[in-house]
Amino acid sequence: RWQQHSGAVSDLSFDKRGEYIASTSEDGTCVVQSLLSDERESHWHDRPLRAVALDPTYAKRRSRRVCCGGLGAQLVISSKGWLGQRDHTLHAGEGAITACRWAGDAIAWCNDRGMKVYDVEAQHRVTFVPRPATAARASDPTLSFHANGEVLMLAWGPVVKV
């Protein structure tokens, strides 16, 4: 049990090995905690966070990549480099980031306009799925990758897309 945040936790994400957990909070923090040691890394943002996706290979990569977004309308990938932590804004300006998931080289996220998928290795957007017309404005989407990491499922309001 850890108390990492001063606000309510909004999302959780695990790496593929199950060695690390990332959490985001309404207080604007993203914390990555080892489940096997006291190792912990914190990232601070100006606005409340709603979504987090941990690099599936986080445990074996030196770059230690984590992706998060929220009410600041930005999706940010934080990583470690030679000069410390580096933040890269992957997407901005289309409303709050409400969901985010990472499998293999793909990061998928939702905002007010719909869902986007980005290939982190090739560094380009793969696809865009518009917000379903039947999804209520107040409804938040649910994103999930199938266990094989190749099938992405999106539930938004009464609509489920695979």
Side-chain angles (χ1 to χ4, degrees):
R1 178 181 168 205
W2 307 277
Q3 184 160 347
Q4 308 290 345
H5 306 283
S6 61
V9 171
S10 53
D11 198 15
L12 299 170
S13 179
F14 291 89
D15 72 320
K16 191 174 183 175
R17 291 182 175 182
E19 294 178 23
Y20 290 87
I21 183 172
S23 57
T24 52
S25 171
E26 293 176 359
D27 65 10
T29 59
C30 173
V31 177
V32 181
Q33 172 75 48
S34 169
L35 297 174
L36 306 175
S37 72
D38 291 336
E39 181 185 351
R40 181 184 335 171
E41 182 178 309
S42 298
H43 306 268
W44 291 270
H45 298 265
D46 294 335
R47 301 286 310 271
L49 294 174
R50 303 274 309 274
V52 64
L54 196 56
D55 180 346
T57 60
Y58 188 92
K60 62 182 184 178
R61 281 196 180 227
R62 288 186 179 169
S63 62
R64 303 290 194 183
R65 298 180 299 182
V66 60
C67 186
C68 59
L71 299 184
Q74 292 184 331
L75 186 70
V76 176
I77 296 179
S78 299
S79 61
K80 284 187 176 180
W82 285 89
L83 302 173
Q85 181 179 317
R86 188 182 125 216
D87 291 338
H88 172 71
T89 301
L90 187 61
H91 184 80
E94 291 184 344
I97 306 298
T98 53
C100 182
R101 291 294 174 257
W102 193 333
D105 294 338
I107 297 175
W109 71 93
C110 294
N111 59 26
D112 290 344
R113 294 192 182 174
M115 180 195 72
K116 294 185 173 144
V117 179
Y118 183 81
D119 185 317
V120 292
E121 296 306 319
Q123 298 184 351
H124 67 84
R125 193 171 81 185
V126 176
T127 192
F128 168 70
V129 177
R131 177 188 188 103
T134 55
R137 269 297 196 219
S139 70
D140 283 339
T142 300
L143 279 174
S144 181
F145 277 97
H146 185 273
N148 67 11
E150 295 179 11
V151 178
L152 176 63
M153 295 158 281
L154 166 67
W156 209 332
V159 177
V160 176
K161 294 187 177 193
V162 179

